[in-house]
Amino acid sequence: MNYTPASIEAKWQKTWSATKAYEPSADFSKPKKYVLSMFPYPSGRIHMGHVRNYTIGDAFARYYRQQGFNVLHPIGWDSFGMPAENAAIKHGIHPKKWTYENIATMRGELAGLGLSFSEDREFATSNPEYTAFEQGFIIDMFNKGMLYRKQGFLNWCPHDLTVLANEQVVDGGCWRCGTEIVQKEMYQYYLKISDYAEELLESLKTLEGKWPKQVLTMQENWIGKSYGLEFAFKLDEESEARLGAVYQSFDVFTTRPDTIYGVSYAALAPEHEIVRHMLSFGLLDQATSDAIKAMQRVSARDRATSPKEGVSLGINVIHPLTGAKVPVWVANFVLTDYGSGAVMAVPAHDDRDYEFATKYDLPIKAVIFPSEGELPHGCAYTETGTLHESGQFSGLDNVTAKAAIMDHFENEKLGKKVVNFRLKDWGISRQRYWGAPIPLIHCDSCGIVPEDKANLPVALPEDVVINGEGNPLEHHPTWKHCACPKCGKPAIRETDTMDTFIQSSWYFLRYTVPNDYKEVFDKQALDYWMGVDHYIGGIEHAILHLLYARFFTKMLRDLGYVNSDEPFEHLLTQGMVLKDGAKMSKSKGNTVDPGALVEKYGADTARLFILFAAPPTQELEWNDSAVEGAFRFLKRFADRSQYVRKTDTIPVIDAALLSKEEKGARKKVYEALKRAQEVYTERHTFNTMIAGVMEAMNALGEQKNTEVWTEGYWILTSILEPIVPHLCWELSSELFGGKNFGPQVVREEVFEVEALSLGVSINGKNRATIEVGVHESQEAIIETAKASVEKWIEDKEIIKAIVIPGKLVNLVIKG
């Protein structure tokens, strides 16, 4: 067959679409597989990362269809977000127009790869129907107290008049205009994800062995469960007076109460309420104020990797056990989203505290000594040991002391044992246009009330001015004015829109019904399809997206919508695609255009290369010559189909009549089949499976038996169909009437060995190789071995003949 990928691929893509070949069945009695790749943001064009992600998912989906499963393999568009507004500002185009034009472009590009997505389940999260369902959830959450509003300090760009996420703060400035950000106290809406911290942590155990260990560890650390002591540091009289008697103390949390006698300073986060009070009332000198404000402008993520910095506040607290004065500092390593935003610092026994104390020449007092040897010099001692200079607890080992000190605090009502979580409630408010409006209304008489569900969706107005200055919804002349659903009086609609992580936290549930389904879910369909059997996406989503999706599933379960506890049964995190050793990006000038690649070589070549170049979980280095190699293999695979007999059943072959080469070819074909079955169900190393197919093709080329060729292609086109579907459908249609796309049976008899090759050595030195029958007697094997080395043993005495089964014959001679 002459291989012309352009015509073959266009033909089959048209056929698959016209026949709705990849729509899941409504027969819920069939075994199912739900295969899902993380949906894309419609940025304009697909990139090689998309190609890799969706090719991996498509291989799973196609394989399971062949095995007789009812397969749900959908695609959609994560279509709200900031880039659309940036495009509106830059190009003067409406975000909606920009978004949906990009969707149309990318839909065509993905279709050109031959991906077997369900067309009836496709949607964009900016569609009004999706927004209506989502706003319904938000109303339920508000009514149940799971959504609440409170004031918080946020990154604010005074030029663009918008709140920025920590990730949008670059070197202390706005990512869009570069203006130095400030901290602004604003009302925000929060989801009570902290109520689910314990369950989110505990249920990670159910995912062990199914999710990458690295991802589970990252989530566990992000949730951050810790046991410790919470107590109050009381301000001394002078400090309380300096603060105008507004504050008498602040709370701290520590997991190391055994070190409490070594406290030499206390540290507050730059955003702590006492720090804000001192800034607001001019209680700090200009240099100190400027230093604190500079710390506030750095994101929490960047602070974690920054050198330790701080300033003294000039106030003191009283040590709860010794009564000594402890100076209070502001430190950039203290974060408001962990504990109370305040810590006791013990530099002798904490690396971070030690680094800070050394920099600012603060006291370092050791209170835990090793059981053997001396304290190390030039660093903190963080190992176990015995307490010294620790009052009544001196002499105890630090593990025992930890419990004793916590008991003492509780008995004396100085503090309490607590379980703390790093995970804090999820702030979902965004002051921008292109997002789902939060369906709440502000009424002077009734307070904050939800919109009537009958009025959903609360849709975005399209006649907006987007110039980067503030929230267009806030400035719209009419949109925010409405009637209170409760009392009917004039009211104001909430102008904040939702964090786009909301949309991606439940989209996988909506796929369980067709896009035009009028209710949000069908319980029977949800129970059938969930959870997702294979979820594929980048490691960069290991924490936030996956954590939020797990949380949303549990919250919707508690609201009565779903019965699932966890959304994703198995997770595969694919590696990045690199070129010249770096991640592909336009700024580096090292991108590869998938469209140009498909136009030159065909989609099947792109798919084959992307799965053959590296195991899916590892980084993939782009290689032009390997792409050429993949294309040449497919041409050869098409060309050699001329040796195949047309049939609608697999040939029945009598192995007894075959030559050594024919038997070897069959063995390689069935080895490839075995490997394929293992790859899809266990290791997912598609590269080894493809290598097995190539070995089988080489072995087939060493023989001329038509029946062996036919059996080989019957199996190999079935194995390769999930990888290179267009060519395989063309070959199967022409040769087998499509009848070979189904479960393939491994014929174990092809692995039966009739003869063995054994080495023959004399006094341990290899001299020859012999071939003997599997059931040959030891005596016969020795005689054959002797005959093969006759010239070396002539006139020699054979003292001993040793047969090592399946390996060699060693003759020990003398003379």
Side-chain angles (χ1 to χ4, degrees):
M1 185 186 100
N2 184 34
Y3 183 46
T4 55
S7 60
I8 291 173
E9 290 172 5
K11 166 188 171 181
W12 286 107
Q13 287 165 20
K14 184 178 179 181
T15 299
W16 295 331
S17 180
T19 59
K20 291 188 173 292
Y22 301 124
E23 298 305 324
S25 168
D27 182 359
F28 294 166
S29 66
K30 296 175 64 177
K32 68 91 184 179
K33 288 291 180 181
Y34 184 175
V35 179
L36 181 63
S37 295
M38 295 181 186
F39 63 172
Y41 180 79
S43 56
R45 300 290 303 276
I46 66 170
H47 52 69
M48 292 311 300
H50 289 131
V51 175
R52 192 177 198 194
N53 187 348
Y54 300 127
T55 299
I56 293 168
D58 200 53
F60 278 117
R62 289 178 176 275
Y63 171 79
Y64 284 120
R65 288 194 193 96
Q66 282 205 37
Q67 306 313 305
F69 287 90
N70 187 12
V71 175
L72 173 58
H73 184 219
I75 189 67
W77 309 95
D78 192 10
S79 51
F80 274 137
M82 200 71 169
E85 290 196 34
N86 290 340
I89 296 164
K90 184 177 180 179
H91 303 296
I93 185 173
H94 195 284
K96 181 177 180 180
K97 178 177 172 62
W98 182 84
T99 298
Y100 283 88
E101 285 180 353
N102 287 346
I103 287 174
T105 298
M106 293 176 70
R107 181 189 293 120
E109 291 176 323
L110 292 178
L113 289 168
L115 301 168
S116 61
F117 292 130
S118 162
E119 295 180 12
D120 291 348
R121 313 243 167 174
E122 181 192 334
F123 59 77
T125 58
S126 52
N127 290 355
E129 298 80 10
Y130 192 85
T131 297
F133 295 135
E134 185 169 87
Q135 289 172 338
F137 299 152
I138 294 298
I139 289 171
D140 290 343
M141 293 168 191
F142 180 78
N143 289 336
K144 292 282 187 180
M146 292 302 299
L147 176 71
Y148 65 95
R149 188 174 185 246
K150 72 171 183 178
Q151 280 188 306
F153 274 78
L154 303 164
N155 303 317
W156 178 260
C157 175
H159 177 271
D160 291 347
L161 304 178
T162 186
V163 167
L164 301 175
N166 287 333
E167 292 75 20
Q168 296 169 329
V169 179
V170 181
D171 296 328
C174 172
W175 70 333
R176 197 158 62 187
C177 68
T179 302
E180 190 174 273
I181 63 130
V182 297
Q183 292 292 298
K184 184 174 181 180
E185 192 169 24
M186 298 176 63
Y187 277 103
Q188 292 276 285
Y189 290 94
Y190 295 85
L191 281 172
K192 285 189 177 180
I193 190 173
S194 61
D195 281 7
Y196 287 80
E198 184 68 47
E199 186 183 356
L200 286 166
L201 185 63
E202 280 299 306
S203 59
L204 286 175
K205 295 174 183 176
T206 68
L207 303 175
E208 291 176 0
K210 302 176 183 179
W211 282 31
K213 190 172 182 179
Q214 178 188 8
V215 175
L216 296 176
T217 300
M218 291 168 74
Q219 291 228 347
E220 183 177 343
N221 292 340
W222 189 265
I223 295 166
K225 184 178 182 180
S226 55
Y227 302 88
L229 175 67
E230 184 178 272
F231 67 93
F233 265 136
K234 292 183 179 179
L235 294 159
D236 66 6
E237 289 184 9
E238 297 86 352
S239 301
E240 186 177 338
R242 186 179 175 193
L243 296 177
V246 176
Y247 299 96
Q248 289 77 44
S249 64
F250 58 81
D251 290 334
V252 296
F253 169 78
T254 178
T255 60
R256 293 294 308 275
D258 51 321
T259 66
I260 195 164
Y261 282 89
V263 170
S264 62
Y265 65 95
L268 303 179
E271 299 84 7
H272 193 280
E273 58 181 336
I274 288 178
V275 180
R276 300 201 316 258
H277 175 84
M278 297 184 79
L279 289 172
S280 300
F281 288 90
L283 302 179
L284 301 168
D285 61 57
Q286 192 61 49
T288 302
S289 296
D290 290 345
I292 292 171
K293 289 176 182 177
M295 282 186 258
Q296 290 175 340
R297 287 192 292 270
V298 180
S299 72
R301 181 179 297 176
D302 291 338
R303 284 188 215 171
T305 56
S306 299
K308 304 298 178 283
E309 293 181 355
V311 289
S312 173
L313 289 175
I315 60 175
N316 299 295
V317 289
I318 304 300
H319 193 291
L321 298 183
T322 68
K325 287 188 178 183
V326 177
V328 181
W329 285 64
V330 171
N332 66 343
F333 62 78
V334 185
L335 305 178
T336 54
D337 63 357
Y338 183 73
S340 59
V343 300
M344 69 175 213
V346 186
H349 304 294
D350 182 276
D351 293 329
R352 177 196 62 189
D353 298 347
Y354 181 89
E355 182 182 340
F356 190 88
T358 303
K359 182 172 184 177
Y360 293 105
D361 198 24
L362 294 168
I364 300 174
K365 180 186 177 184
V367 294
I368 298 178
F369 286 68
S371 301
E372 296 180 1
E374 297 182 353
L375 281 170
H377 295 287
C379 65
Y381 179 67
T382 58
E383 304 300 321
T384 59
T386 305
L387 266 63
H388 288 246
E389 297 185 51
S390 298
Q392 68 193 70
F393 306 102
S394 295
L396 295 176
D397 70 87
N398 71 296
V399 176
T400 303
K402 184 182 293 188
I405 290 171
M406 286 197 287
D407 287 340
H408 178 74
F409 266 80
E410 288 202 324
N411 293 336
E412 298 298 320
K413 296 187 168 37
L414 296 173
K416 60 183 179 180
K417 302 172 191 175
V418 296
V419 175
N420 212 345
F421 290 93
R422 181 176 183 268
L423 181 66
K424 298 303 175 186
D425 285 344
W426 174 11
I428 67 163
S429 300
R430 299 294 180 267
Q431 291 70 36
R432 57 177 177 240
Y433 166 74
W434 192 238
I438 296 174
L440 300 175
I441 292 167
H442 300 266
C443 174
D444 289 340
S445 299
C446 305
I448 301 176
V449 295
E451 178 59 272
D452 190 322
K453 283 190 177 183
N455 296 332
L456 300 181
V458 177
L460 293 168
E462 297 198 16
D463 55 334
V464 290
V465 176
I466 301 178
N467 54 18
E469 297 179 3
N471 182 356
L473 296 178
E474 182 70 32
H475 301 305
H476 193 279
T478 61
W479 183 82
K480 67 180 180 181
H481 299 287
C482 63
C484 173
K486 195 170 182 181
C487 70
K489 293 179 181 178
I492 298 295
R493 193 177 296 286
E494 177 58 64
T495 57
D496 283 357
T497 54
M498 299 182 212
D499 180 3
T500 55
F501 273 116
I502 294 285
Q503 283 87 62
S504 59
S505 293
W506 70 279
Y507 77 108
F508 46 89
L509 297 167
R510 177 61 185 173
Y511 282 142
T512 59
V513 291
N515 186 34
D516 59 358
Y517 197 74
K518 299 307 179 188
E519 301 295 328
V520 60
F521 302 130
D522 176 275
K523 273 290 186 72
Q524 186 184 10
L526 271 176
D527 290 344
Y528 174 70
W529 288 116
M530 290 298 294
V532 176
D533 294 283
H534 290 281
Y535 197 38
I536 303 115
I539 191 70
E540 66 271 19
H541 302 294
I543 297 175
L544 292 184
H545 162 58
L546 289 170
L547 187 66
Y548 290 153
R550 295 179 60 226
F551 160 60
F552 237 73
T553 301
K554 296 175 190 299
M555 189 161 55
L556 290 175
R557 174 202 64 197
D558 291 346
L559 289 171
Y561 284 98
V562 305
N563 293 323
S564 303
D565 293 321
E566 284 289 340
F568 312 122
E569 290 290 325
H570 296 87
L571 174 69
L572 188 155
T573 52
Q574 92 273 3
M576 292 187 296
V577 181
L578 310 178
K579 192 168 191 286
D580 304 324
K583 181 181 179 181
M584 289 188 181
S585 72
K586 292 179 182 178
S587 62
K588 292 187 179 76
N590 66 342
T591 59
V592 173
D593 177 16
L597 179 70
V598 170
E599 185 176 351
K600 182 175 181 180
Y601 295 108
D604 282 344
T605 294
R607 293 171 63 121
L608 182 66
F609 165 77
I610 213 82
L611 292 181
F612 184 49
T617 57
Q618 295 180 14
E619 292 178 337
L620 183 157
E621 177 69 35
W622 188 264
N623 185 321
D624 288 328
S625 63
V627 175
E628 287 274 2
F631 180 65
R632 287 196 302 272
F633 171 76
L634 293 181
K635 284 186 66 177
R636 186 165 69 252
F637 192 69
D639 176 65
R640 291 188 176 180
S641 67
Q642 64 182 298
Y643 304 130
V644 176
R645 173 177 63 85
K646 292 184 180 182
T647 179
D648 60 3
T649 59
I650 190 169
V652 177
I653 297 175
D654 186 349
L657 303 178
L658 299 181
S659 69
K660 178 181 177 181
E661 291 75 20
E662 291 164 349
K663 290 176 181 178
R666 292 189 78 209
K667 182 181 177 184
K668 283 294 182 182
V669 167
Y670 281 99
E671 283 177 352
L673 176 58
K674 268 190 169 182
R675 196 178 300 180
Q677 293 171 346
E678 292 169 0
V679 161
Y680 283 109
T681 57
E682 297 173 20
R683 296 194 301 269
H684 312 325
T685 49
F686 295 102
N687 55 315
T688 63
M689 181 190 79
I690 295 167
V693 172
M694 292 177 173
E695 291 173 9
M697 282 295 294
N698 290 337
L700 284 169
E702 293 174 0
Q703 58 85 51
K704 297 181 179 180
N705 188 316
T706 299
E707 294 303 285
V708 173
W709 272 106
T710 302
E711 179 190 44
Y713 262 65
W714 180 282
I715 292 169
L716 295 182
T717 53
S718 176
I719 294 174
L720 281 178
E721 187 271 342
I723 314 296
V724 289
H726 306 90
L727 176 57
C728 288
W729 276 68
E730 182 73 9
L731 290 173
S732 177
S733 174
E734 182 178 314
L735 299 172
F736 310 126
K739 295 295 176 58
N740 65 321
F741 288 164
Q744 301 295 331
V745 177
V746 175
R747 298 181 185 276
E748 294 293 343
E749 65 267 20
V750 304
F751 302 110
E752 293 177 3
V753 178
E754 296 177 358
L756 296 172
S757 292
L758 304 179
V760 180
S761 62
I762 300 175
N763 291 348
K765 189 172 184 178
N766 189 54
R767 290 299 188 185
T769 301
I770 60 174
E771 191 168 284
V772 297
V774 173
H775 305 295
E776 201 80 61
S777 69
Q778 193 170 92
E779 292 77 11
I781 292 173
I782 292 171
E783 290 306 313
T784 304
K786 289 178 182 178
S788 71
V789 292
E790 190 172 355
K791 66 180 180 179
W792 282 286
I793 61 175
E794 189 175 357
D795 301 326
K796 302 288 191 302
E797 180 185 355
I798 299 175
I799 299 172
K800 188 184 294 186
I802 304 167
V803 178
I804 300 176
K807 292 185 178 180
L808 61 86
V809 180
N810 186 31
L811 302 176
V812 181
I813 64 174
K814 182 174 75 170

